Amino acid sequence: MNALMFQPNTASGYYPQIRTCKSMRELKQVHAFLIKTAQTHDPTVASEILRLCATSDFRDIEYALLVFDQMHERNCFAWNTVIRALAETHDRHFDALLVFCQMVTEAVVEPNRFTFPSVLKACSVAARLEEGKQVHGLLHKYGLVDDNFVVTNLLRMYVMCGSMEEACVLFNGNVDGVAGLGRDKRKEEFNVVLCNVMVDGYVRIGNLKAARELFDRMVQRSVVSWNVMISGYAQNGFYMEAIEMFHGMMQVGGVSPNRVTLVSVLPAISRLGALELGKWVHLYAERNKIVIDDVLGSALVDMYAKCGSIEKAIQVFERLPQNNVITWNAIIGGLAMHGKVDDLFNYLSRMEKCGISPSDVTYIAILGACSHAGLVDEGRSFLNDMVNRVGLEPRIEHYGCMVDLLGRAGYLEEAEELILNMPMKPDDVIWKALLGACKMHKNIEIGRRAAEVLMQLTPHDSGAYVALSNMYASSRDWDAVAEVRLMMKDMDIRKDPGCSWIEIDGVIHEFLVEDDSHTKAKDIRTMLKEISNMLSLEGHRPDTTQVLLKIDEKHKESVLHYHSEKIAVAFGLISTPPKTPLRIVKNLRICEDCHSSMKLISKIYERKIVIRDRKRFHHFQHGLCSCMDYW
């Protein structure tokens, strides 16, 4: 749009005065005077008033439309200004298309290369593919199909509308070899931009394989290229791949991570509990003068909390501007995950004293904390507060928290009744919460009903079948167990294996149940045997009731011996100096035997052991756990 800026009309004398306006009030005063003196007939003056109304910091789109309607002579700049303003205004994208149609219909002024990017953006955001195709036809009419600026926006329109077939045709017809010509720098940069748009398109539809193939074929890559792949992997659950991509970016050179890179990779680091890498990212931001704003700061708080260092999360939070609910939600969510209920209530009080009203996300964290601490009355009170004082409508996640809270505390009938009377259809997450509570309290009747609903909602999810099988096994109903397992076999449903991760010297090590594939497997087995002997000396006896298989006791003890978190702890003990804390991430809920074992291991080896399971954090130290054995 800068290329279309008008030069001041010194003949009128009013144009410079318009540009000095600092508020809508000032601009309206100047405009009123110009109307009174008939100076708005000057197209340059009228266009500048329109520009300020439509695109300035104090923009007023409705007033801009009034100015536009009153213009005696609308030049291309005026049309472009209004179309762009509407395309960039929430819920006004279709209006931008209507104004463009008016421009084309009147045929007084032809659209130019600055008109179409805004029109295509409106098509993209509003997902108007058919209108976008019509605009594509107009580009041929006006001879703009070879304009790099326009083609890039056209390709982005097809991508954002999910039409990858049309995007591929356009891409293949405009890129000169995926790597670029190498001789024409502008063409090479254009090719990189087109490739980035296509990679983003494949990521949007979840085709990470195609995205990676195109990315690998690019000889030249910009920081956007790397960011799209890193965020694509992270958002689709490929956390190791996201981190590997980040490492690759650092090793290649020539492209430095920016704020978007760090915000994209931090969720992957969080999920895998890679604290050392997270610390490195934090240090990189500080050393390279990357502003740690609300978004990056909140991502860092979330990373430290999810990697087990709630103390560092608090330190980062205290240095951030605390005027954004997202930042407060990050620290409150972290405290909830670590079971620090009293601290959470203190931060909630501070938040409201700062004039920040809790959001629905805040209440999800609060209700989750109440669930972990067994605070049933407090949870009910907070839900009531959310609805009646703050005026927020409960989402399905809030009902899920309440079902989990009631179920853990043993109020299974009330939890089931809540599900049946919800104002929206309960999802599989809510039924899984009830089923998990039924398993905990050995209520087969309600558990069977919950499992049957789950099998209908998600027939190929192993969770319901495994939980139901385990409940039958705990009551020694082996015929029912066999029936459920036969059903799983017939439907080719496999149980998710237990998996744990531990980061040692910046390297993430992954262990499965009974995993014997690690390069140090022999040393790990030796350490596991030592741990078993030391636990026996402390009077610990393996809780074989946790092994819900029809096998002998010795075999059951062996199964417990090789749970993934125990393997990870053994590896941590042989790989780090004495007194070094061990931080482990597990994909499933920690079992009772592993929980009791970890308490003793922390005492025997004088180590702090932090384990994040599927639900929460457990801080084991001096033979105790932070959850107080309620999880």
mmCIF file with all atom_site columns, all heavy atoms in Angstrom, residues 399-411:
data_model
loop_
_atom_site.group_PDB
_atom_site.id
_atom_site.type_symbol
_atom_site.label_atom_id
_atom_site.label_alt_id
_atom_site.label_comp_id
_atom_site.label_asym_id
_atom_site.label_entity_id
_atom_site.label_seq_id
_atom_site.pdbx_PDB_ins_code
_atom_site.Cartn_x
_atom_site.Cartn_y
_atom_site.Cartn_z
_atom_site.occupancy
_atom_site.B_iso_or_equiv
_atom_site.pdbx_formal_charge
_atom_site.auth_seq_id
_atom_site.auth_comp_id
_atom_site.auth_asym_id
_atom_site.auth_atom_id
_atom_site.pdbx_PDB_model_num
ATOM 1  N N   . TYR A 1 399 ? -17.007 -29.246 32.835 1.00 0.00 ? 399 TYR A N   1
ATOM 2  C CA  . TYR A 1 399 ? -17.774 -30.420 33.275 1.00 0.00 ? 399 TYR A CA  1
ATOM 3  C C   . TYR A 1 399 ? -16.850 -31.632 33.426 1.00 0.00 ? 399 TYR A C   1
ATOM 4  O O   . TYR A 1 399 ? -17.020 -32.436 34.350 1.00 0.00 ? 399 TYR A O   1
ATOM 5  C CB  . TYR A 1 399 ? -18.894 -30.722 32.284 1.00 0.00 ? 399 TYR A CB  1
ATOM 6  C CG  . TYR A 1 399 ? -20.042 -29.732 32.360 1.00 0.00 ? 399 TYR A CG  1
ATOM 7  C CD1 . TYR A 1 399 ? -20.188 -28.747 31.401 1.00 0.00 ? 399 TYR A CD1 1
ATOM 8  C CD2 . TYR A 1 399 ? -20.962 -29.795 33.406 1.00 0.00 ? 399 TYR A CD2 1
ATOM 9  C CE1 . TYR A 1 399 ? -21.233 -27.830 31.471 1.00 0.00 ? 399 TYR A CE1 1
ATOM 10 C CE2 . TYR A 1 399 ? -22.012 -28.888 33.482 1.00 0.00 ? 399 TYR A CE2 1
ATOM 11 C CZ  . TYR A 1 399 ? -22.141 -27.907 32.515 1.00 0.00 ? 399 TYR A CZ  1
ATOM 12 O OH  . TYR A 1 399 ? -23.169 -27.007 32.601 1.00 0.00 ? 399 TYR A OH  1
ATOM 13 N N   . GLY A 1 400 ? -15.873 -31.734 32.537 1.00 0.00 ? 400 GLY A N   1
ATOM 14 C CA  . GLY A 1 400 ? -14.907 -32.827 32.646 1.00 0.00 ? 400 GLY A CA  1
ATOM 15 C C   . GLY A 1 400 ? -14.128 -32.763 33.949 1.00 0.00 ? 400 GLY A C   1
ATOM 16 O O   . GLY A 1 400 ? -13.896 -33.786 34.608 1.00 0.00 ? 400 GLY A O   1
ATOM 17 N N   . CYS A 1 401 ? -13.720 -31.549 34.336 1.00 0.00 ? 401 CYS A N   1
ATOM 18 C CA  . CYS A 1 401 ? -12.999 -31.369 35.609 1.00 0.00 ? 401 CYS A CA  1
ATOM 19 C C   . CYS A 1 401 ? -13.876 -31.750 36.788 1.00 0.00 ? 401 CYS A C   1
ATOM 20 O O   . CYS A 1 401 ? -13.407 -32.377 37.754 1.00 0.00 ? 401 CYS A O   1
ATOM 21 C CB  . CYS A 1 401 ? -12.548 -29.917 35.747 1.00 0.00 ? 401 CYS A CB  1
ATOM 22 S SG  . CYS A 1 401 ? -11.197 -29.439 34.651 1.00 0.00 ? 401 CYS A SG  1
ATOM 23 N N   . MET A 1 402 ? -15.145 -31.369 36.735 1.00 0.00 ? 402 MET A N   1
ATOM 24 C CA  . MET A 1 402 ? -16.051 -31.684 37.840 1.00 0.00 ? 402 MET A CA  1
ATOM 25 C C   . MET A 1 402 ? -16.304 -33.187 37.935 1.00 0.00 ? 402 MET A C   1
ATOM 26 O O   . MET A 1 402 ? -16.372 -33.747 39.042 1.00 0.00 ? 402 MET A O   1
ATOM 27 C CB  . MET A 1 402 ? -17.385 -30.942 37.668 1.00 0.00 ? 402 MET A CB  1
ATOM 28 C CG  . MET A 1 402 ? -17.316 -29.454 37.962 1.00 0.00 ? 402 MET A CG  1
ATOM 29 S SD  . MET A 1 402 ? -16.700 -29.063 39.620 1.00 0.00 ? 402 MET A SD  1
ATOM 30 C CE  . MET A 1 402 ? -17.928 -29.865 40.665 1.00 0.00 ? 402 MET A CE  1
ATOM 31 N N   . VAL A 1 403 ? -16.443 -33.852 36.791 1.00 0.00 ? 403 VAL A N   1
ATOM 32 C CA  . VAL A 1 403 ? -16.609 -35.311 36.804 1.00 0.00 ? 403 VAL A CA  1
ATOM 33 C C   . VAL A 1 403 ? -15.380 -35.965 37.404 1.00 0.00 ? 403 VAL A C   1
ATOM 34 O O   . VAL A 1 403 ? -15.479 -36.899 38.225 1.00 0.00 ? 403 VAL A O   1
ATOM 35 C CB  . VAL A 1 403 ? -16.869 -35.831 35.368 1.00 0.00 ? 403 VAL A CB  1
ATOM 36 C CG1 . VAL A 1 403 ? -16.777 -37.367 35.322 1.00 0.00 ? 403 VAL A CG1 1
ATOM 37 C CG2 . VAL A 1 403 ? -18.235 -35.380 34.880 1.00 0.00 ? 403 VAL A CG2 1
ATOM 38 N N   . ASP A 1 404 ? -14.196 -35.485 37.027 1.00 0.00 ? 404 ASP A N   1
ATOM 39 C CA  . ASP A 1 404 ? -12.947 -36.025 37.564 1.00 0.00 ? 404 ASP A CA  1
ATOM 40 C C   . ASP A 1 404 ? -12.868 -35.778 39.069 1.00 0.00 ? 404 ASP A C   1
ATOM 41 O O   . ASP A 1 404 ? -12.479 -36.667 39.836 1.00 0.00 ? 404 ASP A O   1
ATOM 42 C CB  . ASP A 1 404 ? -11.768 -35.372 36.845 1.00 0.00 ? 404 ASP A CB  1
ATOM 43 C CG  . ASP A 1 404 ? -10.447 -36.057 37.164 1.00 0.00 ? 404 ASP A CG  1
ATOM 44 O OD1 . ASP A 1 404 ? -10.328 -37.266 36.914 1.00 0.00 ? 404 ASP A OD1 1
ATOM 45 O OD2 . ASP A 1 404 ? -9.527  -35.379 37.669 1.00 0.00 ? 404 ASP A OD2 1
ATOM 46 N N   . LEU A 1 405 ? -13.228 -34.569 39.499 1.00 0.00 ? 405 LEU A N   1
ATOM 47 C CA  . LEU A 1 405 ? -13.199 -34.205 40.918 1.00 0.00 ? 405 LEU A CA  1
ATOM 48 C C   . LEU A 1 405 ? -14.135 -35.091 41.729 1.00 0.00 ? 405 LEU A C   1
ATOM 49 O O   . LEU A 1 405 ? -13.748 -35.666 42.758 1.00 0.00 ? 405 LEU A O   1
ATOM 50 C CB  . LEU A 1 405 ? -13.600 -32.732 41.061 1.00 0.00 ? 405 LEU A CB  1
ATOM 51 C CG  . LEU A 1 405 ? -13.898 -32.200 42.464 1.00 0.00 ? 405 LEU A CG  1
ATOM 52 C CD1 . LEU A 1 405 ? -12.666 -32.322 43.356 1.00 0.00 ? 405 LEU A CD1 1
ATOM 53 C CD2 . LEU A 1 405 ? -14.341 -30.744 42.399 1.00 0.00 ? 405 LEU A CD2 1
ATOM 54 N N   . LEU A 1 406 ? -15.369 -35.231 41.266 1.00 0.00 ? 406 LEU A N   1
ATOM 55 C CA  . LEU A 1 406 ? -16.343 -36.050 41.987 1.00 0.00 ? 406 LEU A CA  1
ATOM 56 C C   . LEU A 1 406 ? -15.953 -37.523 41.958 1.00 0.00 ? 406 LEU A C   1
ATOM 57 O O   . LEU A 1 406 ? -16.061 -38.230 42.970 1.00 0.00 ? 406 LEU A O   1
ATOM 58 C CB  . LEU A 1 406 ? -17.734 -35.862 41.370 1.00 0.00 ? 406 LEU A CB  1
ATOM 59 C CG  . LEU A 1 406 ? -18.352 -34.465 41.507 1.00 0.00 ? 406 LEU A CG  1
ATOM 60 C CD1 . LEU A 1 406 ? -19.585 -34.334 40.618 1.00 0.00 ? 406 LEU A CD1 1
ATOM 61 C CD2 . LEU A 1 406 ? -18.709 -34.182 42.963 1.00 0.00 ? 406 LEU A CD2 1
ATOM 62 N N   . GLY A 1 407 ? -15.502 -37.984 40.793 1.00 0.00 ? 407 GLY A N   1
ATOM 63 C CA  . GLY A 1 407 ? -15.141 -39.394 40.659 1.00 0.00 ? 407 GLY A CA  1
ATOM 64 C C   . GLY A 1 407 ? -13.983 -39.792 41.542 1.00 0.00 ? 407 GLY A C   1
ATOM 65 O O   . GLY A 1 407 ? -14.035 -40.831 42.223 1.00 0.00 ? 407 GLY A O   1
ATOM 66 N N   . ARG A 1 408 ? -12.927 -38.985 41.566 1.00 0.00 ? 408 ARG A N   1
ATOM 67 C CA  . ARG A 1 408 ? -11.761 -39.304 42.408 1.00 0.00 ? 408 ARG A CA  1
ATOM 68 C C   . ARG A 1 408 ? -12.146 -39.379 43.881 1.00 0.00 ? 408 ARG A C   1
ATOM 69 O O   . ARG A 1 408 ? -11.605 -40.182 44.640 1.00 0.00 ? 408 ARG A O   1
ATOM 70 C CB  . ARG A 1 408 ? -10.685 -38.235 42.226 1.00 0.00 ? 408 ARG A CB  1
ATOM 71 C CG  . ARG A 1 408 ? -9.914  -38.325 40.930 1.00 0.00 ? 408 ARG A CG  1
ATOM 72 C CD  . ARG A 1 408 ? -8.951  -37.145 40.823 1.00 0.00 ? 408 ARG A CD  1
ATOM 73 N NE  . ARG A 1 408 ? -8.260  -37.159 39.560 1.00 0.00 ? 408 ARG A NE  1
ATOM 74 C CZ  . ARG A 1 408 ? -7.150  -37.845 39.322 1.00 0.00 ? 408 ARG A CZ  1
ATOM 75 N NH1 . ARG A 1 408 ? -6.622  -38.574 40.294 1.00 0.00 ? 408 ARG A NH1 1
ATOM 76 N NH2 . ARG A 1 408 ? -6.575  -37.808 38.148 1.00 0.00 ? 408 ARG A NH2 1
ATOM 77 N N   . ALA A 1 409 ? -13.060 -38.479 44.258 1.00 0.00 ? 409 ALA A N   1
ATOM 78 C CA  . ALA A 1 409 ? -13.470 -38.433 45.666 1.00 0.00 ? 409 ALA A CA  1
ATOM 79 C C   . ALA A 1 409 ? -14.483 -39.523 46.016 1.00 0.00 ? 409 ALA A C   1
ATOM 80 O O   . ALA A 1 409 ? -14.911 -39.631 47.167 1.00 0.00 ? 409 ALA A O   1
ATOM 81 C CB  . ALA A 1 409 ? -14.052 -37.062 45.986 1.00 0.00 ? 409 ALA A CB  1
ATOM 82 N N   . GLY A 1 410 ? -14.885 -40.320 45.019 1.00 0.00 ? 410 GLY A N   1
ATOM 83 C CA  . GLY A 1 410 ? -15.783 -41.431 45.288 1.00 0.00 ? 410 GLY A CA  1
ATOM 84 C C   . GLY A 1 410 ? -17.252 -41.129 45.065 1.00 0.00 ? 410 GLY A C   1
ATOM 85 O O   . GLY A 1 410 ? -18.107 -41.994 45.293 1.00 0.00 ? 410 GLY A O   1
ATOM 86 N N   . TYR A 1 411 ? -17.589 -39.927 44.613 1.00 0.00 ? 411 TYR A N   1
ATOM 87 C CA  . TYR A 1 411 ? -18.981 -39.564 44.341 1.00 0.00 ? 411 TYR A CA  1
ATOM 88 C C   . TYR A 1 411 ? -19.344 -40.001 42.919 1.00 0.00 ? 411 TYR A C   1
ATOM 89 O O   . TYR A 1 411 ? -19.673 -39.176 42.054 1.00 0.00 ? 411 TYR A O   1
ATOM 90 C CB  . TYR A 1 411 ? -19.186 -38.062 44.506 1.00 0.00 ? 411 TYR A CB  1
ATOM 91 C CG  . TYR A 1 411 ? -18.930 -37.547 45.903 1.00 0.00 ? 411 TYR A CG  1
ATOM 92 C CD1 . TYR A 1 411 ? -17.682 -37.060 46.270 1.00 0.00 ? 411 TYR A CD1 1
ATOM 93 C CD2 . TYR A 1 411 ? -19.947 -37.541 46.863 1.00 0.00 ? 411 TYR A CD2 1
ATOM 94 C CE1 . TYR A 1 411 ? -17.436 -36.578 47.541 1.00 0.00 ? 411 TYR A CE1 1
ATOM 95 C CE2 . TYR A 1 411 ? -19.717 -37.066 48.145 1.00 0.00 ? 411 TYR A CE2 1
ATOM 96 C CZ  . TYR A 1 411 ? -18.455 -36.582 48.487 1.00 0.00 ? 411 TYR A CZ  1
ATOM 97 O OH  . TYR A 1 411 ? -18.223 -36.109 49.746 1.00 0.00 ? 411 TYR A OH  1
#
